[in-house]
């Protein structure tokens, strides 16, 4: 859990200069309409499609590695903590809101910049509030509904350390 929590922060630190260079380039880009369906598919959404496949493959491989290294009981604990994490993050859909707003505002550089900055700020505040509420209310929830899986709560708390990464990636993913 420690490696899974720390590694994204290291990746974010090293990717910040590249992100700002791409961000400036994106704001200065002139928008053109692609010719057909395949041109639109090629021009838009390739990173989000690839990210979805990589994420799905990683989720399956992660459970396989946990099963091989620790055992099936650990897979059940991690699967419960991961599903609680998924439900928690779906309560604040910043990514789906910004993915609609940012492409509409790319012609106005200052408005697009404001949307990204506000999206980052409010997603961090919103996800932090959800994380604090989940840290406080998670144990009573598990003790009432899933008393056999109370051992999954420390894993869930470890996953809550990923909230800053989630706030940054959900606000900047529409730019990819």
């Amino acid at each position: 859990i420690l490696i899974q929590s720390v590694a994204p922060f290291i990746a974010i630190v090293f990717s910040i200069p590249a992100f700002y260079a791409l961000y400036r380039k994106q704001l200065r880009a002139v928008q053109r309409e692609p010719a057909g369906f395949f041109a639109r598919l090629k021009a838009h959404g390739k990173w989000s499609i690839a990210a979805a496949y990589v994420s799905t493959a990683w989720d399956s491989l992660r459970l396989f590695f946990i099963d091989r290294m620790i055992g099936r009981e650990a897979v059940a604990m991690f699967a419960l903590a991961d599903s609680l994490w998924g439900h928690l993050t779906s309560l604040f859909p910043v990514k789906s809101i910004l993915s609609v707003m940012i492409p509409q505002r790319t012609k106005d550089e200052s408005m697009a910049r404001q949307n990204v900055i506000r999206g980052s700020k409010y997603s961090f505040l919103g996800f932090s509030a959800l994380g604090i509420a989940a840290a406080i209310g998670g144990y009573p929830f598990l003790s009432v509904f899933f008393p056999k899986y109370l051992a999954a709560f420390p894993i869930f708390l470890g996953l809550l350390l990923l909230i800053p990464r989630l706030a940054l990636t959900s606000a900047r993913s529409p730019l990819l």
Side-chain angles (χ1 to χ4, degrees), residues 90-147:
S90 67
L91 291 175
F92 200 68
V94 175
K95 184 177 178 179
S96 60
I97 294 168
L98 286 178
S99 64
V100 174
M101 288 178 61
I102 288 177
Q104 294 175 354
R105 309 271 195 230
T106 54
K107 291 180 182 175
D108 185 9
E109 183 179 330
S110 64
M111 186 62 96
R113 184 176 295 128
Q114 278 184 338
N115 283 341
V116 171
I117 291 169
R118 284 182 184 164
S120 299
K121 179 172 68 172
Y122 292 128
S123 65
F124 182 76
L125 293 174
F127 282 125
S128 296
L130 282 174
I132 291 169
I136 293 170
Y139 190 81
F141 175 78
L142 283 177
S143 62
V144 170
F145 293 108
F146 304 105

Side-chain angles (χ1 to χ4, degrees), residues 12-36:
I12 287 172
V13 167
F14 284 110
S15 68
I16 287 174
F19 167 70
Y20 282 122
L22 287 172
Y23 174 68
R24 280 190 234 113
K25 184 179 176 183
Q26 176 71 23
L27 288 179
R28 292 186 185 112
V30 177
Q31 231 176 354
R32 292 173 285 176
E33 284 294 321

